[in-house]
Amino acid sequence: MELLVAHEIGYRTDGRWLVQSVSLSLSAGEVVILVGPNGAGKSTLLSLLAGDLSPTTGEIWLERHNLNRMSALAQAQRRAVLRQQIIVTFPFTALEVALMGRAPHLRGQAESKRDLAIVEEALAQTETTSFATRPLPTLSGGEQARVQMARVLAQTTPILLLDEPTAALDLRHQHRILQLARRAADQGGAALIVLHDVNLAALYADRIGVMHQGRLHAIGSPWDVLRADLLSDVYGVPITVQPHPRAATPLVLSLPEDHTRSASTHVAKVR
């Protein structure tokens, strides 16, 4: 079942198209990951799908409802959003921030024991229980990012929209966060994620979309999309792709543009 559908959407501002003619769907049980160079339109596209921006052209449907006609509350009950940059300066504790994820379900009422149990589980899943009582600004960037992920999980929506959720995280927690997104999809939900790391995308995505100059340049399975010629063209650097030594996924390796010349010079010097 399709949970989120975008049809020929575009976004224009200051005389420039940041996203143009993008059609995309997200089905139950699916993880879709968007990759692409800086300025390709990935975050803008996610903001459009989240309802933070209104498309200049096209339409977006959230669980068969026209997104532009839905209230903010109705949207928040169906999709949870992790934005790339979230600045919290007030001394809210990690627990209080995670509790904010329950707001769409409370409707002005105080949180119940069930709400607290959901939040405690979200903190446990993101391994942030130990600093639940600490003010968020006292935590490291990676710790804050994991608390924000706990807030997203506590919202208990069928759709997760995550913009660079691994950017501030160490290797262990990069996998942990993506495993949580994968689990949410396996339980009947869906996740759309913006990532820069194409190898992480290959490990966790059912489909990968490559954004380039505001357009969806390609979308498909990791093996269909992560091709050396396509990626070299999009990223502007020489790229090779080979089978991952332990996973049944492609492994993407990049080289500097002058690698061949530098290697030849090194060999000449050795001789």
Side-chain angles (χ1 to χ4, degrees):
M1 181 178 68
E2 291 180 332
L3 301 179
L4 183 64
V5 177
H7 178 67
E8 289 292 315
I9 60 171
Y11 182 72
R12 183 179 176 89
T13 183
D14 296 327
R16 178 170 172 251
W17 288 99
L18 301 185
V19 170
Q20 193 168 6
S21 301
V22 171
S23 293
L24 178 70
S25 65
L26 183 65
S27 297
E30 187 176 41
V31 174
V32 174
I33 297 181
L34 299 177
V35 301
N38 295 333
K42 303 182 299 296
S43 293
T44 302
L45 177 57
L46 187 138
S47 293
L48 289 165
L49 298 174
D52 293 337
L53 298 174
S54 296
T56 307
T57 60
E59 290 185 325
I60 301 169
W61 299 84
L62 179 60
E63 292 191 330
R64 301 181 181 178
H65 300 278
N66 189 304
L67 189 63
N68 279 348
R69 298 174 189 167
M70 295 176 67
S71 67
L73 177 61
Q75 292 181 34
Q77 291 172 340
R78 290 167 171 81
R79 95 290 179 263
V81 184
L82 181 65
R83 293 171 180 82
Q84 192 175 92
Q85 292 185 329
I86 305 174
I87 300 174
V88 177
T89 56
F90 291 100
F92 294 115
T93 66
L95 176 62
E96 289 170 333
V97 170
L99 271 169
M100 293 177 187
R102 299 303 302 156
H105 307 286
L106 297 179
R107 301 187 181 184
Q109 301 176 0
E111 63 271 6
S112 65
K113 289 183 179 179
R114 177 176 179 273
D115 294 310
L116 288 171
I118 289 171
V119 169
E120 288 171 357
E121 174 62 19
L123 290 171
Q125 288 180 328
T126 55
E127 300 181 344
T128 53
T129 302
S130 61
F131 38 80
T133 59
R134 286 179 56 186
L136 197 74
T138 68
L139 304 179
S140 72
E143 290 169 340
Q144 291 189 39
R146 284 154 52 203
V147 171
Q148 293 293 351
M149 184 64 183
R151 171 186 58 77
V152 165
L153 294 175
Q155 203 167 325
T156 59
T157 61
I159 301 170
L160 302 180
L161 302 176
L162 311 177
D163 193 357
E164 288 292 341
T166 63
L169 303 183
D170 58 41
L171 294 177
R172 169 185 165 79
H173 289 104
Q174 287 179 13
H175 286 286
R176 180 66 178 168
I177 293 303
L178 293 175
Q179 286 166 354
L180 291 172
R182 178 74 264 173
R183 182 188 301 173
D186 291 343
Q187 292 173 346
L192 186 138
I193 307 171
V194 171
L195 284 183
H196 273 297
D197 191 324
V198 293
N199 287 313
L200 281 177
L203 287 171
Y204 290 97
D206 296 297
R207 289 187 295 147
I208 295 175
V210 180
M211 293 289 294
H212 184 48
Q213 297 179 348
R215 295 180 180 271
L216 190 58
H217 192 68
I219 187 165
S221 71
W223 278 110
D224 288 338
V225 171
L226 299 183
R227 305 193 316 267
D229 58 340
L230 186 152
L231 296 179
S232 296
D233 179 56
V234 166
Y235 285 98
V237 294
I239 285 175
T240 62
V241 179
Q242 61 189 46
H244 193 287
R246 296 186 62 183
T249 59
L251 179 65
V252 177
L253 304 172
S254 64
L255 296 169
E257 292 181 274
D258 62 349
H259 172 76
T260 302
R261 179 172 56 83
S262 298
S264 300
T265 302
H266 176 73
V267 172
K269 287 182 177 178
V270 171
R271 289 177 179 173

